[in-house]
Amino acid sequence: MKFYKVLEKNLEAKNISFKEFYDSADVVEKRILEEYGALFVARGGVTIPTKIVFKNEDEVSGFQSNLQISKENIGGFDLELQNAAMKDLLKSIKEAGENNLSITPRGADSARRDYAQTVNLWASRVNPALEHWSKAGKLSKKEADKIRSLLPFEQVPEIFKLEEKGVFFSKDLSKSIVYSVAPPGTSQHLALLAFDAAEYKNERVREILAKNGWFQTVVSDLPHFTYLGVKESKLSDLGLKKVENCEQVFWIPNI
Ligand SMILES: [Zn+2]
């Protein structure tokens, strides 16, 4: 419950009521808050999204246009993050260098993303999975076509319903799609507070990032780091709890 309290305070500071922000009867919002919610209690002077799900490009660009953004070329890619997040990423990179390590992005979309990119990533999982499950007889052609005809954000609750029946949409079809890609309009990359590191398997790299406010917060998304802007010892005060997966540590909302 502590997580909700911290979140409520964050929102109050922006004159947004918790009720306006979060509809607990909305299965998508509930799930997104549980899985990706750590971002909403981030500190360090960053701006958090005032919505759990952005519904279109206008909502995303409206939010992004009010951010203070830094742009840097890292590992050959132009990346954009909120100022504080970039500052602490550059600190991490410097510290890694002093230890003969490097921290580099996995690709061009490792930091800032726009709405369309989240839609395309979503479709890259949903479309092959619909085909697979239709062929496997778990889904009728009519059901698959119906999902294809929906707007991206309308597809999300339908996919969640199928996953409850064991029809999974992650890349390897073995788990929920939320551990593979974020539903459209929900990626932490839209908030410019996420970075996908190529060296995520290196424990020292993870320690250096954590020392500088960057933590893994999405269980199963191993290369994905979120800027929370505090030391690890403060994370439980933000209503986050520690879970382990694949011998790595994740900080998720304690709900
Ligand atoms: Zn990521």
Side-chain angles (χ1 to χ4, degrees), residues 43-91:
R43 292 289 187 264
V46 299
T47 302
I48 57 162
T50 52
K51 293 175 179 269
I52 300 174
V53 182
F54 290 113
K55 295 259 172 10
N56 54 51
E57 195 76 67
D58 279 354
E59 288 189 2
V60 170
S61 54
F63 167 73
Q64 290 183 346
S65 67
N66 286 314
L67 300 176
Q68 293 185 310
I69 298 171
S70 300
K71 188 174 181 174
E72 294 285 339
N73 189 285
I74 302 172
F77 298 106
D78 281 330
L79 302 182
E80 289 176 82
L81 290 170
Q82 290 196 34
N83 283 353
M86 183 63 88
K87 194 170 149 237
D88 280 337
L89 178 62
L90 294 176
K91 251 168 111 180

Side-chain angles (χ1 to χ4, degrees), residues 16-232:
I16 298 165
S17 73
F18 187 63
K19 259 189 164 168
E20 193 185 332
F21 175 78
Y22 174 48
D23 174 5
S24 62
D26 182 320
V27 291
V28 177
E29 287 195 352
K30 184 167 184 287
R31 188 76 190 280
I32 296 305
L33 206 54
E34 284 167 3
E35 305 283 358
Y36 305 154
L39 171 96
F40 293 105
V41 293
R43 292 289 187 264
V46 299
T47 302
I48 57 162
T50 52
K51 293 175 179 269
I52 300 174
V53 182
F54 290 113
K55 295 259 172 10
N56 54 51
E57 195 76 67
D58 279 354
E59 288 189 2
V60 170
S61 54
F63 167 73
Q64 290 183 346
S65 67
N66 286 314
L67 300 176
Q68 293 185 310
I69 298 171
S70 300
K71 188 174 181 174
E72 294 285 339
N73 189 285
I74 302 172
F77 298 106
D78 281 330
L79 302 182
E80 289 176 82
L81 290 170
Q82 290 196 34
N83 283 353
M86 183 63 88
K87 194 170 149 237
D88 280 337
L89 178 62
L90 294 176
K91 251 168 111 180
S92 308
I93 291 171
K94 186 164 174 267
E95 197 174 331
E98 288 160 2
N99 290 280
N100 293 316
L101 295 166
S102 57
I103 299 175
T104 57
R106 296 187 88 207
D109 67 351
S110 285
R112 179 183 189 158
R113 288 182 197 156
D114 61 20
Y115 183 74
Q117 282 170 298
T118 70
V119 169
N120 291 340
L121 277 169
W122 172 257
S124 76
R125 299 294 188 276
V126 169
N127 293 335
L130 284 175
E131 199 136 304
H132 170 88
W133 293 121
S134 301
K135 273 190 195 143
K138 294 269 186 186
L139 205 62
S140 70
K141 191 182 174 302
K142 202 177 154 199
E143 282 174 301
D145 283 343
K146 193 197 146 213
I147 292 173
R148 286 190 191 97
S149 73
L150 297 172
L151 285 170
F153 74 86
E154 293 170 339
Q155 290 180 340
V156 184
E158 301 305 318
I159 301 293
F160 285 177
K161 258 187 239 161
L162 287 168
E163 289 189 336
E164 271 172 30
K165 293 189 268 178
V167 178
F168 291 115
F169 282 73
S170 67
K171 195 169 193 178
D172 66 3
L173 307 166
S174 73
K175 56 182 185 274
S176 172
I177 191 166
V178 299
Y179 303 122
S180 196
V181 297
T186 69
S187 170
Q188 295 182 343
H189 291 279
L190 296 172
L192 280 70
L193 293 172
F195 174 71
D196 297 334
E199 298 81 4
Y200 66 94
K201 285 184 183 150
N202 187 310
E203 195 181 354
R204 269 299 286 146
V205 163
R206 297 199 301 272
E207 279 170 13
I208 291 169
L209 282 164
K211 205 177 135 193
N212 291 292
W214 283 92
F215 300 91
Q216 285 156 298
T217 70
V218 180
V219 179
S220 288
D221 190 349
L222 303 178
H224 180 95
F225 290 79
T226 311
Y227 184 68
L228 298 177
V230 291
K231 298 268 178 263
E232 189 162 17

Side-chain angles (χ1 to χ4, degrees), residues 38 215-218 228 232 235-236 240-243 249-253:
F215 300 91
Q216 285 156 298
T217 70
V218 180
L228 298 177
E232 189 162 17
L235 292 174
S236 56
L240 302 177
K241 69 175 175 193
K242 190 176 179 171
V243 296
V249 169
F250 297 81
W251 287 91
I252 62 167

